[in-house]
Amino acid sequence: MPCDGSATVVQSPNEATLTQDRAEHEAFSAAARSFKTGHLKRAKAEFLSLDKATVRPSRRKAARAMAALAEELSTDPIASSLYLNQPNGRGAFVSLCAVEGIVGGFSLATALMPSKVSATTIVRSVVGSALAGGLGGALGAYFGTRSMVIPSARIASGGLGAIIAPIATILTLQAVDLNIDAQFIPLTLWATSLAGGVSGLVLADSFKPSPGQVAFTSTFTILGSAATALLHTVAASSDSTFSGAMLAGGLVSLAGASYFSQRIDWSPGRAGTVLAGGILGILVGALTNVIILPDDGTFAIAPLLGLVGGTALTVSVTDKFKPSEHVVISDLSVSPGVALASDGDATTTLQLSGRF
Amino acid sequence: MMSHNHRYCMSVNECALRHRTRLLTPLLLTLGLFISVPALATTQSVPSTGAAPGETKDADDLDTRSEFRFTLEQLRTGQYRRAHRRLDKLRPTLKSPQRQQAADALIAYADDLERLYPSHSLTFKSQPAGRKQVIALLTGLSMYNVGALAVSFQWNPLGASLLVGLAGVGGFWGGLRLTERIHIPDAQASAMTYGTFLLGVTTILGVDADLETSLLYSGSALLGAGLGWLGANYLQPSPGQMSFISQVTLMGFGTSIGLAFAFPDSVFNEAQRLSMNVAMWVGAAASLATAKWVDWSLTRVRYVSLSSGLGVLLGLAAQTLIKIDDQAGYARNGTIGLWAGFALGIALTDTLPESPYFKDDKVSASLTPATIPDSVGQGAPGFALSGRF
């Protein structure tokens, strides 16, 4: 027994072999994951190291063949793209189109409805149109993308755009005090939702985010908007500025979260957990108010503190979550560098690069 | 000149509406295609593994890569036989010698693994972690249980509110820590949620609500979560199987709600609640009994759920067009729509790839007529049992 008192587990030769074999199988699986997600250079290196390490002939042969295949495919822009090798978001796309179709059918029927018709006719036209739109959206999307894999982050980004755009439109209309005929409000919101959704899809193709990065953007846009609402309740005396403040807060949160998301390797699970932590913080703050019983706008202070505390705490405790496998971000490094002053002289300084 | 149809119009506006809705219907049917244009226009998308019948497959390029990826996933998750069969199908379509070698090597490796790990012990554990579900469930259960205690023992509302909040924080923290230490497969987390729902709803429907029963609800929800955990450990379902079970149970429940609304005067009386409970348990039992053969992926379950939902909407909308104030008609058509949508969804998604986490360890055998040689060299009619055992 070792002198530190710890027990040593003695394995029989068969057990030891099996344990080693399982470890090698795990290593093969890890290399396969790299291959699957488009990290082909990493996959090749992992397969080659397994080729040297393994004692099982079939595994060695498979690892060598897969390393050669990874090498061959690494020159292919599609096979080596981390963006295009994300999980398929086609199901979510079909659902999104079904919802957009239902809302579109409802909006168009409402907008085109003459003023003097019976209630029965109104209900029948609106329901029929919404249903036709929903079926058209679902079937069109399902059959239109039948042989395709659409990156899940792209659909998540489209969904985010489709939700944010109509909310921003409502807030803008309220902020500038612009009144639209009630009959055309659904159509306006649907059109902006569609435009937002398309913008989200197009922007995702430009920035090529990971699913976790889009989830990060959603999380901090929601939490930022909630913080704005609570801050406004604490600080402002008038309700007239609420819409403007919410619009500004929401857009700043969206822009900030989008910017920082490019430097983040969070998984969607981590982003979701942080969102839940923030919401739970608001809830605990609100329940604390039951005891404190504050007056006026001060009732928002405890939920605001709860939001900040809950978010910060959850960001901290989720630090050990596995990073997303659909993104590569190099580690943060601080290194000596040379900066040029305005007069052309060089001065020694520090440069910051990598992950933040 | 007015057309024949105009005789039936109630007013000029009504006539205008009929014209517009006639134009609107084909417009809306094509709307879906316009909605899907963004995805089709900016097509940085790759073909999937499951090409539709009749579609051209570029056998040596994009599909091949997808097939290799899928097979590697099957090898990772312990589906060695399925990986072998898939590679066997792929092998003759490959042109590049490198890919042929890779396919051959993977087939040999799959066979080797099959001999080494015959029990598919890796399939269940290799599922992604159901971390979010566990955390959400523990948070919700903690808050609900403390709330139930507060109601039962009539605690001070001020202190009880704060305690409910703190219980939520505790549940959240506990869920985080628990899932850090233990890998809880996605299907096991779903089974816990499912158990909570099933026993919780059964108790709510079975027992009249009063102050004393809140603890009973809370106990049954906890028991459901525990049984879900144990059941998943024993049955080791795939995430797709668990979603299938949840969906069919919900459909049983939905059918019973439809039936309840078909008799509007007696909704939620004791007999109706009993029938809802029975329908839900029939759904649960039927899905549990058939799930063994369901190799659906989560994606396929989602499509089928969407199709069922649209079926309900279609049924309700049809009733709106037939007779607007007929509650029993809505219930009937909604229920028919639910099951028709379910069946159509299954038929439409038949070509989607199976779940990589499906445990394919059942015995597959076939009994066929055969000629059996007897001792004198003559053939006698008989049966041959063949297959994998």
Side-chain angles (χ1 to χ4, degrees):
Chain A
M1 184 184 271
C3 54
D4 62 356
S6 63
T8 309
V9 178
V10 181
Q11 290 180 314
S12 69
N14 274 348
E15 272 181 297
T17 312
L18 198 63
T19 310
Q20 193 199 337
D21 200 87
R22 284 210 175 225
E24 283 179 12
H25 183 61
E26 289 293 317
F28 189 90
S29 296
R33 282 298 296 169
S34 302
F35 184 88
K36 189 172 175 246
T37 50
H39 294 278
L40 293 176
K41 285 182 182 160
R42 193 165 80 193
K44 184 191 159 195
E46 285 170 345
F47 278 127
L48 283 178
S49 74
L50 191 63
D51 173 30
K52 286 175 193 151
T54 187
V55 287
R56 186 169 289 280
S58 68
R59 185 173 289 136
R60 185 181 303 145
K61 208 173 161 189
R64 201 174 295 162
M66 288 309 299
L69 188 58
E71 164 81 36
E72 182 207 321
L73 291 175
S74 60
T75 53
D76 184 322
I78 294 177
S80 57
S81 161
L82 299 186
Y83 177 63
L84 295 177
N85 289 296
Q86 285 177 15
N88 196 354
R90 193 176 151 235
F93 179 68
V94 174
S95 305
L96 183 66
C97 287
V99 173
E100 285 285 354
I102 289 171
V103 178
F106 170 81
S107 311
L108 278 172
T110 313
L112 295 173
M113 190 73 66
S115 54
K116 288 178 186 169
V117 285
S118 66
T120 309
T121 314
I122 292 174
V123 172
R124 283 181 175 165
S125 326
V126 168
V127 170
S129 305
L131 185 81
L135 282 178
L139 294 175
Y142 183 77
F143 288 106
T145 60
R146 203 163 184 200
S147 55
M148 293 171 123
V149 174
I150 309 169
S152 60
R154 189 174 182 218
I155 304 308
S157 170
L160 185 63
I163 292 169
I164 285 178
I167 295 172
T169 308
I170 294 170
L171 292 172
T172 309
L173 290 176
Q174 283 179 350
V176 298
D177 207 13
L178 188 70
N179 288 321
I180 295 182
D181 188 345
Q183 196 175 2
F184 294 103
I185 289 177
L187 188 65
T188 311
L189 296 183
W190 176 66
T192 51
S193 169
L194 207 55
V198 173
S199 308
L201 291 171
V202 172
L203 281 171
D205 261 356
S206 307
F207 289 99
K208 301 186 175 17
S210 71
Q213 286 172 334
V214 180
F216 174 89
T217 306
S218 310
T219 292
F220 280 92
T221 305
I222 294 168
L223 293 178
S225 303
T228 309
L230 293 168
L231 261 177
H232 185 271
T233 313
V234 174
S237 55
S238 158
D239 285 347
S240 60
T241 53
F242 183 76
S243 303
M246 280 302 293
L247 182 65
L251 290 179
V252 166
S253 307
L254 175 66
S258 307
Y259 177 75
F260 282 110
S261 71
Q262 294 165 47
R263 293 161 176 75
I264 293 292
D265 63 0
W266 288 19
S267 62
R270 188 175 180 192
T273 309
V274 169
L275 177 62
I279 292 171
L280 201 62
I282 296 175
L283 189 69
V284 172
L287 289 172
T288 312
N289 275 341
V290 178
I291 291 179
I292 301 169
L293 292 175
D295 298 326
D296 305 327
T298 53
F299 73 86
I301 292 178
L304 184 62
L305 290 175
L307 164 66
V308 175
T311 307
L313 195 66
T314 329
V315 169
S316 161
V317 296
T318 54
D319 195 38
K320 287 176 193 158
F321 273 38
K322 252 171 70 176
S324 167
E325 55 189 3
H326 302 288
V327 66
V328 178
I329 293 170
S330 55
D331 285 339
L332 176 69
S333 66
V334 182
S335 53
V338 176
L340 284 177
S342 54
D343 57 0
D345 285 350
T347 52
T348 309
T349 180
L350 289 175
Q351 61 185 25
L352 196 63
S353 61
R355 182 181 168 190
F356 298 88
Chain B
M1 196 173 72
M2 283 179 77
S3 73
H4 178 71
N5 281 343
H6 283 193
R7 279 186 297 165
Y8 302 104
C9 295
M10 285 162 60
S11 64
V12 175
N13 278 334
E14 186 112 354
C15 292
L17 177 72
R18 286 193 178 189
H19 276 298
R20 283 175 186 179
T21 43
R22 215 175 294 147
L23 286 171
L24 210 56
T25 310
L27 178 77
L28 288 170
L29 282 169
T30 50
L31 185 69
L33 292 170
F34 283 102
I35 291 168
S36 57
V37 160
L40 301 169
T42 50
T43 45
Q44 281 219 27
S45 311
V46 289
S48 71
T49 51
E55 275 181 322
T56 317
K57 278 181 111 180
D58 187 355
D60 213 21
D61 198 31
L62 293 169
D63 262 352
T64 312
R65 288 202 302 257
S66 300
E67 287 292 311
F68 270 114
R69 283 199 195 96
F70 199 85
T71 317
L72 284 171
E73 187 67 2
Q74 287 180 317
L75 287 179
R76 187 181 76 80
T77 59
Q79 289 191 320
Y80 312 125
R81 282 185 208 161
R82 286 191 169 225
H84 184 132
R85 287 203 289 270
R86 211 175 182 98
L87 285 163
D88 261 349
K89 256 193 221 169
L90 178 70
R91 177 66 177 79
T93 66
L94 298 173
K95 291 167 195 158
S96 134
Q98 221 151 27
R99 292 179 191 196
Q100 287 172 354
Q101 274 173 16
D104 290 339
L106 288 178
I107 288 172
Y109 185 44
D111 290 345
D112 210 13
L113 288 173
E114 175 72 34
R115 275 191 294 275
L116 193 66
Y117 307 114
S119 61
H120 305 281
S121 51
L122 299 172
T123 308
F124 185 58
K125 291 287 172 197
S126 64
Q127 286 178 22
R131 202 165 191 177
K132 270 195 286 184
Q133 274 198 71
V134 174
I135 293 171
L137 185 67
L138 288 183
T139 307
L141 277 178
S142 307
M143 292 174 82
Y144 180 75
N145 286 325
V146 172
L149 280 173
V151 170
S152 285
F153 294 103
Q154 299 179 0
W155 291 348
N156 178 341
L158 302 180
S161 303
L162 190 61
L163 278 179
V164 168
L166 291 176
V169 175
F172 185 77
W173 184 266
L176 265 176
R177 288 286 168 232
L178 177 74
T179 51
E180 243 174 47
R181 284 169 176 74
I182 309 170
H183 173 80
I184 301 173
D186 192 44
Q188 194 165 22
S190 303
M192 288 168 73
T193 313
Y194 173 75
T196 307
F197 167 82
L198 192 65
L199 285 199
V201 172
T202 303
T203 318
I204 288 169
L205 288 174
V207 183
D208 284 325
D210 55 39
L211 284 182
E212 279 77 38
T213 51
S214 54
L215 272 184
L216 188 65
Y217 296 158
S218 123
S220 61
L222 277 176
L223 180 68
L227 287 177
W229 168 287
L230 291 173
N233 236 0
Y234 177 70
L235 295 170
Q236 306 205 334
S238 71
Q241 282 172 322
M242 211 46 241
S243 291
F244 167 81
I245 291 169
S246 306
Q247 193 189 339
V248 175
T249 306
L250 279 176
M251 284 175 67
F253 190 59
T255 305
S256 69
I257 290 176
L259 290 173
F261 274 97
F263 305 98
D265 294 335
S266 57
V267 171
F268 298 127
N269 65 13
E270 207 168 313
Q272 291 294 352
R273 289 196 327 230
L274 180 67
S275 73
M276 286 163 86
N277 246 345
V278 169
M280 188 172 71
W281 277 95
V282 166
S287 59
L288 277 166
T290 51
K292 192 180 175 187
W293 295 281
V294 176
D295 64 356
W296 300 2
S297 63
L298 265 183
T299 309
R300 188 169 180 195
V301 183
R302 280 178 195 144
Y303 281 131
V304 174
S305 304
L306 179 68
S307 171
S308 309
L310 283 174
V312 173
L313 285 180
L314 184 66
L316 298 178
Q319 183 58 40
T320 314
L321 299 176
I322 298 164
K323 194 178 176 194
I324 208 159
D325 52 353
D326 176 9
Q327 190 171 319
Y330 280 109
R332 188 181 54 240
N333 285 341
T335 310
I336 293 170
L338 174 73
W339 286 98
F342 180 68
L344 190 68
I346 294 173
L348 280 175
T349 55
D350 195 36
T351 52
L352 290 178
E354 71 271 21
S355 166
Y357 304 105
F358 176 67
K359 276 180 77 177
D360 189 17
D361 55 358
K362 64 179 185 287
V363 173
S364 68
S366 61
L367 195 63
T368 46
T371 308
I372 314 291
D374 56 19
S375 54
V376 291
Q378 300 273 313
F383 289 95
L385 190 65
S386 60
R388 260 207 185 96
F389 302 91

